[in-house]
Amino acid sequence: MAKSVAIVGAGVSGMTCGILFAERGDRTAIFAEEVGTHTTSGAAAALWFPYDAEPADKVIPWALATYKVLVDLANDPCSGVSMIDLRQYCRTGIIEIPNWASPFVIPSEVEGSLDISVLKRGFALRVPLMDTSIYIDYLAQRFQKAGGEIHANIRFEKLENVDSKFDLVIDCAGIGARELARDPSVEPHRGQVAIVPKIDSLNYAIVCDDAPLMYAIPRTNDCVFGGTNDVSDDLDPDAATTKAIVSECARVLKIDNPQVLRERVGLRPFRKSGVRLESERLQDRRVVIHNYGHGGSGFTLSWGCAQQVVELANGAN
C-alpha cells in the first residue's frame, strides 16, 4: 500500500530518500528551511570517500552501496556525477590503504606538477564526484518528476508538528536534528571552502588529510579548494581562513594564488554516538525514521542510507 511520507530536510539525504519513496509511488513531500544550493549539501565538495562518520561497520556498507548507484549515474551527463582519480596524500609519512578501498585502488605516483616537498607517497582511488552545482538540481528535478513536492522556508519545532496527513515522517534534518530530535550528541563540524576558477592542469582530486586539511577538487566549471573541520556553529566565511586555504592549495599545486570566486561554509552534522538510522514512535504514535549524523559523508552514504530507510519503512506498521 502506498504511504504518505513527509521528509524533513532538503539536503542530499532528504532528497535521496525522497526520490526512492516518490519513485515507488508514495505520496512524498520534503519540508525544509533551505533548499537547493543553500543547504549544507550545497557547500560540500561532494567527493565519494567515507570521512568523519562512525561507526565503520555500518558506514562502509552504506558507502559501498552508494558507490554502485553513483557509478551508474555517471553514465547520465545530466546528473553532474563523474568518475575521477582521487589522490590521497599525507605530509608526515606513508598512509595505509584501508581494506575497503582495495578494489578501487589505481596506480599513481606523486606528479611533477605537485610540490613533493610537502607530500609523501599516498594512494589513489577511482571514485565518483558529484558536482553540487549540477547534482543537487538533478536530484530535485528527479524527485519532482516522480510527483514529489518541495516546501521551502518551513521550520518545525518538533517532529509532531509535521502535518498529521502524513503517516510516515523521515528525519533528515542534519545539524538541525540537535533541536528537532533533541539529540545533544550532534555537533557541527565546520567546513569552509573557496571556489576558484577551473584549473586546466588539474584533472584529478587531491586530498591531504593531516593538518592543515587541504583538498583541491576540480568540477565542471570551477574548482573547490578546502578546507577546515572545526567544531563551530559559525556560518560566516573567515577571510584569513580563505587566504590560508588558497595559499596552501596553490603551494601544493605549484600555481599562483587564483582569484576567489566565492566562499562557502557548511556545518557537517557529526554525531558522536554514530550515524542515527533507526525508527521510533512519535508521541502521536506515527512512525519516524531518523537518518542523520553523517558528518562529512552525507553524499558518500546517501543512497545506501536511503535504501535502508525504505527497508525500515516497509517494516513499519
Side-chain angles (χ1 to χ4, degrees), residues 192-206:
Q192 179 168 327
V193 299
I195 311 300
V196 302
K198 188 172 182 178
I199 300 169
D200 292 334
S201 60
L202 187 65
N203 58 5
Y204 53 87
I206 179 171

Side-chain angles (χ1 to χ4, degrees), residues 31-44:
F31 299 89
E33 284 190 81
E34 297 180 326
V35 299
T37 56
H38 295 290
T39 63
T40 294
S41 295

Side-chain angles (χ1 to χ4, degrees), residues 49-88:
F49 193 86
Y51 173 72
D52 204 27
E54 299 288 345
D57 64 332
K58 293 182 178 181
V59 164
I60 299 307
W62 289 329
L64 295 177
T66 302
Y67 185 98
K68 293 178 181 178
V69 176
L70 294 175
V71 168
D72 288 340
L73 286 179
N75 295 317
D76 180 354
C78 296
S79 71
V81 181
S82 60
M83 300 301 293
I84 193 171
D85 292 356
L86 162 61
R87 300 181 183 181
Q88 182 97 12

Side-chain angles (χ1 to χ4, degrees), residues 3-14:
K3 296 180 182 293
S4 183
V5 183
I7 297 173
V8 181
V12 66
S13 295

Side-chain angles (χ1 to χ4, degrees), residues 186-315:
V186 179
E187 66 180 19
H189 285 192
R190 182 182 183 276
Q192 179 168 327
V193 299
I195 311 300
V196 302
K198 188 172 182 178
I199 300 169
D200 292 334
S201 60
L202 187 65
N203 58 5
Y204 53 87
I206 179 171
V207 176
C208 294
D209 202 18
D210 52 355
L213 173 64
M214 171 267 167
Y215 50 87
I217 300 174
R219 305 195 299 190
T220 304
N221 300 308
D222 54 30
C223 184
V224 180
F225 279 3
T228 64
N229 192 25
D230 309 312
V231 179
S232 171
D233 273 319
D234 188 1
L235 281 167
D236 292 328
D238 176 71
T241 299
T242 294
K243 183 178 179 180
I245 288 171
V246 172
S247 177
E248 179 66 7
C249 289
R251 181 169 75 106
V252 170
L253 297 174
K254 295 201 297 190
I255 62 173
D256 293 332
N257 284 5
Q259 174 191 3
V260 175
L261 303 176
R262 293 183 304 283
E263 301 166 286
R264 292 294 307 270
V265 173
L267 304 180
R268 303 179 183 98
F270 180 80
R271 187 169 182 259
K272 288 179 270 189
S273 48
V275 175
R276 188 180 187 191
L277 209 170
E278 61 183 3
S279 62
E280 67 173 351
R281 294 280 179 181
L282 296 174
Q283 291 180 352
D284 59 17
R285 303 306 298 162
R286 283 184 294 170
V287 171
V288 58
I289 300 176
H290 299 286
N291 179 29
Y292 65 83
H294 305 99
S297 297
F299 285 86
T300 297
L301 306 182
S302 56
W303 291 99
C305 286
Q307 289 164 4
Q308 186 165 341
V309 167
V310 171
E311 290 174 8
L312 287 174
N314 289 340

Side-chain angles (χ1 to χ4, degrees), residues 32-232:
E33 284 190 81
E34 297 180 326
V35 299
T37 56
H38 295 290
T39 63
T40 294
S41 295
L47 187 72
W48 183 93
F49 193 86
Y51 173 72
D52 204 27
E54 299 288 345
D57 64 332
K58 293 182 178 181
V59 164
I60 299 307
W62 289 329
L64 295 177
T66 302
Y67 185 98
K68 293 178 181 178
V69 176
L70 294 175
V71 168
D72 288 340
L73 286 179
N75 295 317
D76 180 354
C78 296
S79 71
V81 181
S82 60
M83 300 301 293
I84 193 171
D85 292 356
L86 162 61
R87 300 181 183 181
Q88 182 97 12
Y89 296 107
C90 69
R91 302 174 180 84
T92 56
I94 303 298
I95 51 177
E96 294 187 6
I97 301 172
N99 290 335
W100 59 262
S102 298
F104 312 118
V105 172
I106 56 176
S108 178
E109 298 289 339
V110 175
E111 301 247 343
S113 59
L114 302 177
D115 186 347
I116 60 173
S117 68
V118 297
L119 299 176
K120 303 294 184 181
R121 176 80 183 268
F123 60 89
L125 307 175
R126 186 75 172 167
V127 302
L129 169 67
M130 292 137 280
D131 185 334
T132 55
S133 66
I134 301 171
Y135 185 64
I136 289 176
D137 287 341
Y138 163 81
L139 293 178
Q141 291 166 10
R142 181 171 162 181
F143 173 64
Q144 291 171 316
K145 184 178 179 181
E149 301 175 357
I150 300 174
H151 302 277
N153 302 312
I154 303 293
R155 178 183 175 87
F156 297 115
E157 296 299 325
K158 56 183 181 178
L159 291 167
E160 284 83 359
N161 290 344
V162 175
D163 196 317
S164 60
K165 69 183 179 183
F166 295 99
D167 48 50
L168 179 64
V169 179
I170 313 299
D171 172 16
C172 296
I175 199 67
R178 282 185 303 179
E179 287 76 33
L180 193 62
R182 300 173 182 85
D183 188 346
S185 70
V186 179
E187 66 180 19
H189 285 192
R190 182 182 183 276
Q192 179 168 327
V193 299
I195 311 300
V196 302
K198 188 172 182 178
I199 300 169
D200 292 334
S201 60
L202 187 65
N203 58 5
Y204 53 87
I206 179 171
V207 176
C208 294
D209 202 18
D210 52 355
L213 173 64
M214 171 267 167
Y215 50 87
I217 300 174
R219 305 195 299 190
T220 304
N221 300 308
D222 54 30
C223 184
V224 180
F225 279 3
T228 64
N229 192 25
D230 309 312
V231 179
S232 171

